[in-house]
Amino acid sequence: MMSNEKRGEAIDLSHHLSKVGQARQTSPLKSLHKYMGKPGLISLAGGLPNAGYFPFASVSGEILAPDSFPLETGSKDSSLSWFWKLFSRSEKERTSTFTVGKYPKHPGDLNLESGLQYGLATGQPKLNEIIREFVGKVFQPAYSNWTTLVHTGNTDAWSKTVQTILNPGEGLLVSEWTYPSAMASAQPFGVIPVPIGMDSEGMSSISLQKTLAEWDESVRGFPRPRVMYTVPIGQNPTGTTMGIQRKKEIYDICVEYDIIIVEDDPYYFLQQGEYVPKADRVTDAANGDDEVFIASLAPSYLKVDYQGRVIRLDTFSKTVCPGSRLGWFTCNPMFAERLERTAETSSQAPSGFTQLYVASLLLKWQYDGYIRWLKALRLQYKQRRDYFLDCFGEEFHLQKAFSTEGYTAGAHLYHASLKPKRSFVPLSEKDTAYSKPLFSYIAPTSGMFVWLELHLEEHPSFTSLGYKALEMKLWTEIAEAGVLFAPGAMFFATKVEDDTPGPGHFRVSFSNSSPEEMKKAVSTFGTVLRKFMHTRI
């Protein structure tokens, strides 16, 4: 890791601030904070409630040991012992306790007096100190004066970012399939999504270059976009992972066209690698020491960001708990200052309780403990992914093929068709493909989702209804049978109309269900699909 002393500072990117971002001023009262740490200061300036009247003498809790989950799986015949541990109540969890008192015993201690008081939008100093150490060791930004500040989850962080750097009527570069809540957050601000083609690593650098080079404002009706939104790891919804070479290509294009990259990366530590079918699977283990583990992860855009043009959004939602509503920005100081002003004026800073609990957890575990937790967490989700895909292999007849086009280009594609009814015995090997594929997918390499592409051309009502109507009718029948998928149309970067070309899709999650529920869900899908394909609507 190159030391910060050898790295340049962020370049001046203030011209990317939106009109609102430029107009935001620091609250006059917030300007007094610089005096707050002065020894012996008697402050009569702020309307701060007296901590003696806080009805909490202390807060405490129990924390799991950071090595609560194993770093190694059993063999392919190990009967899912990892699931037993998750759902069994018989095994007592190993825990330690923490307590945060109202007043600090030593300088710098977490305490309720300051933790539950009005505070800085950048977050409590102790928590920010922990986060900064983590970012430096794990993400290793390529410029020296990067900074961090807390936010209330990535969706809220994205909303603050939109207000800070985008004006109404401006374009936003996004993958053709993308996270719908991000688009919904930007839509009220008059931001126009500009879809960019994808392949098996997510956004295509070739498609991005072509779009920007051929931009014609007179045809498009608005200037060439200067902001890009991306979910590079566990791309939502396709589950792909973008490697460092692709990120370098896209970053260089963004430098050429002066584009800000907003890297929304909630699934960063859920990088599971390639799926290996059950028959070929062997014992799996998490990477050894911390440096090896970090090196095994596809790096962040921060790793190549030598100009400070990346605004990275991180969250504790997927690694600690989503109810914390806590995460952080990593960006250059100019953007951080304006994002802080947005948080101050909107009063949307993370709660003091949340920061105290998460900071207590990380102080108890320390950096090494948190990395140990993340290693095991990645392995847990890898096993969930593997089991879920195994269920598809048991329920459907799968044919593996290499894809050369579209968002799956460069990956192995699994084509799924119905297996015969059990009473049917194939006469020969050629009879094992009992129908044309009804859906296909690439095995996700990160995140929590499998992205299914539907192939419903053989449906008796396909000619009269088309893909979009059939997608929703099939989705409805699956839901009525007791299984809820996410309809694919909501993940398209622009609004899907009835005549929008292209097949239907479903996004299905493997993150939260028990093994029995996963197996039942896939079986139900197969049963509904068999009936659906033989029913005229």
Side-chain angles (χ1 to χ4, degrees):
M1 175 179 170
M2 185 166 54
S3 67
N4 279 346
E5 287 72 25
K6 296 180 182 178
R7 301 180 179 191
E9 293 191 350
I11 65 172
D12 183 5
L13 295 166
S14 57
H15 58 283
H16 280 290
L17 291 172
S18 67
K19 292 179 181 178
V20 171
Q22 293 173 23
R24 286 195 189 279
Q25 301 295 317
T26 300
S27 167
L29 289 174
K30 295 294 182 182
S31 66
L32 303 178
H33 273 290
K34 65 180 179 180
Y35 297 104
M36 292 302 187
K38 185 177 180 180
L41 179 74
I42 300 174
S43 175
L44 305 180
L48 307 180
N50 191 298
Y53 302 142
F54 295 171
F56 302 96
S58 66
V59 295
S60 60
E62 287 187 276
I63 296 172
L64 289 180
D67 60 351
S68 293
F69 296 97
L71 293 179
E72 184 174 325
T73 67
S75 70
K76 61 188 178 185
D77 301 316
S78 62
S79 302
L80 295 175
S81 59
W82 58 282
F83 265 138
W84 291 357
K85 180 176 178 63
L86 278 176
F87 295 98
S88 172
R89 303 293 184 189
S90 61
E91 184 173 345
K92 183 173 176 58
E93 295 175 324
R94 292 182 296 111
T95 63
S96 60
T97 61
F98 73 89
T99 299
V100 179
K102 179 169 286 189
Y103 305 105
K105 293 182 179 179
H106 306 97
D109 283 354
L110 292 176
N111 64 88
L112 303 187
E113 180 183 27
S114 61
L116 300 186
Q117 188 57 270
Y118 292 125
L120 297 171
T122 52
Q124 295 185 16
K126 180 60 72 174
L127 178 60
N128 232 327
E129 179 184 320
I130 296 168
I131 289 172
R132 185 171 177 83
E133 177 194 12
F134 185 79
V135 170
K137 290 181 176 180
V138 176
F139 301 128
Q140 305 168 18
Y143 64 103
S144 62
N145 61 331
W146 54 272
T147 190
T148 61
L149 66 155
V150 298
H151 58 62
T152 56
N154 278 16
T155 300
D156 177 65
W158 165 239
S159 179
K160 290 182 171 69
T161 303
V162 169
Q163 296 175 58
T164 302
I165 62 175
L166 281 161
N167 293 305
E170 290 186 335
L172 173 67
L173 300 164
V174 295
S175 299
E176 59 183 321
W177 297 103
T178 193
Y179 179 47
S181 292
M183 298 302 97
S185 297
Q187 190 272 333
F189 297 98
V191 176
I192 306 168
V194 178
I196 302 297
M198 299 169 62
D199 61 17
S200 61
E201 282 198 68
M203 184 180 287
S204 163
S205 55
I206 296 173
S207 179
L208 177 63
Q209 177 73 56
K210 180 178 173 61
T211 298
L212 295 172
E214 297 178 357
W215 192 269
D216 187 335
E217 185 174 342
S218 64
V219 174
R220 295 275 192 164
F222 54 96
R224 187 170 59 205
R226 54 183 183 79
V227 178
M228 184 182 84
Y229 171 83
T230 180
V231 183
I233 304 296
Q235 201 279 336
N236 194 351
T238 64
T240 57
T241 303
M242 184 180 288
I244 186 63
Q245 184 56 42
R246 176 64 57 80
K247 285 174 177 162
K248 286 179 178 177
E249 294 168 3
I250 289 178
Y251 187 85
D252 288 345
I253 294 169
C254 290
V255 169
E256 178 183 356
Y257 290 95
D258 192 21
I259 292 166
I260 299 301
I261 300 171
V262 183
E263 181 180 28
D264 185 0
D265 220 353
Y267 306 106
Y268 185 81
F269 294 101
L270 304 187
Q271 299 184 37
Q272 299 132 13
E274 297 297 324
Y275 168 73
V276 177
K278 186 176 181 180
D280 302 323
R281 204 171 299 150
V282 295
T283 299
D284 194 8
N287 298 92
D289 63 45
D290 295 351
E291 290 187 2
V292 171
F293 168 66
I294 292 168
S296 73
L297 302 171
S300 162
Y301 270 105
L302 291 176
K303 182 87 170 181
V304 299
D305 181 23
Y306 62 90
Q307 293 189 332
R309 63 175 60 251
V310 173
I311 300 175
R312 181 178 168 85
L313 315 181
D314 277 289
T315 179
F316 290 108
S317 293
K318 308 301 188 292
T319 60
V320 176
C321 60
S324 68
R325 308 309 302 161
L326 183 64
W328 72 93
F329 297 98
T330 305
C331 56
N332 80 46
M334 184 275 299
F335 285 134
E337 179 188 12
R338 299 295 168 152
L339 290 164
E340 181 183 355
R341 292 181 186 181
T342 301
E344 288 173 353
T345 54
S346 64
S347 299
Q348 291 178 326
S351 79
F353 279 115
T354 293
Q355 294 189 64
L356 287 171
Y357 272 93
V358 173
S360 296
L361 171 76
L362 298 177
L363 283 171
K364 196 79 171 181
W365 279 355
Q366 297 295 305
Y367 173 81
D368 291 343
Y370 189 38
I371 291 294
R372 171 61 176 79
W373 176 264
L374 294 174
K375 289 179 187 177
L377 194 67
R378 175 167 81 154
L379 194 57
Q380 293 292 316
Y381 279 99
K382 181 180 188 296
Q383 292 175 96
R384 285 182 161 276
R385 187 244 358 228
D386 290 351
Y387 181 79
F388 193 49
L389 294 181
D390 290 346
C391 291
F392 278 96
E394 293 172 3
E395 179 67 25
F396 298 95
H397 176 71
L398 300 180
Q399 289 182 305
K400 189 176 180 181
F402 188 77
S403 176
T404 58
E405 58 184 27
Y407 67 87
T408 61
H412 284 101
L413 195 63
Y414 289 86
H415 297 286
S417 55
L418 294 170
K419 284 185 174 180
K421 294 182 179 179
R422 293 182 179 180
S423 59
F424 177 81
V425 178
L427 299 177
S428 66
E429 184 65 27
K430 68 179 181 180
D431 294 324
T432 56
Y434 307 103
S435 69
K436 292 182 179 179
L438 299 183
F439 66 93
S440 61
Y441 61 88
I442 56 173
T445 53
S446 300
M448 296 178 168
F449 311 108
V450 180
W451 182 239
L452 306 181
E453 179 175 304
L454 304 175
H455 307 297
L456 305 177
E457 296 89 345
E458 290 189 323
H459 191 279
S461 299
F462 177 78
T463 303
S464 58
L465 293 180
Y467 261 119
K468 300 302 177 289
L470 283 178
E471 174 189 345
M472 289 310 299
K473 288 183 179 297
L474 176 58
W475 178 86
T476 301
E477 293 195 15
I478 296 169
E480 290 178 348
V483 177
L484 193 63
F485 291 172
M490 66 175 60
F491 296 91
F492 201 58
T494 55
K495 186 178 180 181
V496 173
E497 307 289 353
D498 290 342
D499 59 351
T500 301
H505 295 82
F506 293 140
R507 192 195 73 174
V508 292
S509 171
F510 53 82
S511 62
N512 191 42
S513 300
S514 70
E516 293 79 14
E517 289 171 334
M518 289 188 201
K519 192 173 185 65
K520 182 178 179 181
V522 175
S523 176
T524 300
F525 177 40
T527 299
V528 171
L529 193 55
R530 183 183 298 277
K531 180 181 178 182
F532 181 80
M533 291 304 295
H534 293 90
T535 303
R536 183 175 294 277
I537 299 173

Coordinates of all heavy atoms in Angstrom, one line a residue, residues 1-7 140-142:
M1 N 0.8 -1.2 0.0 CA 0.0 0.0 0.0 C 0.9 1.2 0.0 O 1.7 1.4 0.9 CB -0.9 0.0 1.2 CG -1.8 1.2 1.4 SD -2.8 1.1 2.9 CE -3.4 2.8 3.0
M2 N 0.7 2.1 -1.0 CA 1.4 3.3 -1.1 C 1.0 4.3 0.0 O -0.2 4.5 0.3 CB 1.2 3.9 -2.5 CG 2.1 5.1 -2.8 SD 2.1 5.5 -4.5 CE 0.4 5.7 -4.9
S3 N 2.0 5.0 0.6 CA 1.6 5.9 1.7 C 1.0 7.2 1.1 O 1.2 7.5 0.0 CB 2.9 6.3 2.5 OG 3.8 7.0 1.6
N4 N 0.2 7.8 1.9 CA -0.5 9.0 1.5 C 0.5 10.1 1.1 O 0.2 11.0 0.3 CB -1.5 9.5 2.6 CG -2.8 8.8 2.5 OD1 -3.1 8.0 1.6 ND2 -3.6 8.9 3.6
E5 N 1.6 10.2 1.7 CA 2.6 11.2 1.5 C 3.1 11.2 0.0 O 3.5 12.2 -0.6 CB 3.8 11.1 2.4 CG 3.6 11.4 3.8 CD 2.7 10.4 4.6 OE1 2.7 9.2 4.1 OE2 2.0 10.8 5.5
K6 N 3.0 10.0 -0.7 CA 3.4 9.9 -2.0 C 2.2 10.2 -3.0 O 2.4 10.1 -4.2 CB 4.0 8.5 -2.3 CG 5.2 8.2 -1.5 CD 5.8 6.8 -1.8 CE 7.0 6.5 -0.9 NZ 7.5 5.1 -1.2
R7 N 1.1 10.5 -2.5 CA -0.1 10.7 -3.3 C -0.4 12.1 -3.4 O -0.3 12.9 -2.4 CB -1.2 9.9 -2.8 CG -0.9 8.4 -2.7 CD -2.1 7.6 -2.2 NE -1.7 6.2 -2.2 CZ -2.6 5.2 -2.0 NH1 -3.9 5.5 -1.7 NH2 -2.2 3.9 -2.0
Q140 N -8.1 2.0 0.3 CA -6.8 2.6 -0.1 C -7.0 3.6 -1.2 O -6.5 3.4 -2.4 CB -5.9 1.4 -0.6 CG -5.6 0.4 0.5 CD -4.9 -0.9 -0.1 OE1 -4.3 -0.8 -1.2 NE2 -5.0 -2.0 0.6
P141 N -7.6 4.7 -0.9 CA -7.8 5.8 -1.9 C -6.5 6.2 -2.6 O -5.5 6.3 -1.9 CB -8.5 6.9 -1.2 CG -9.2 6.2 0.0 CD -8.3 5.1 0.4
A142 N -6.5 6.6 -3.8 CA -5.3 6.9 -4.6 C -4.9 8.4 -4.5 O -4.0 8.8 -5.2 CB -5.5 6.5 -6.0

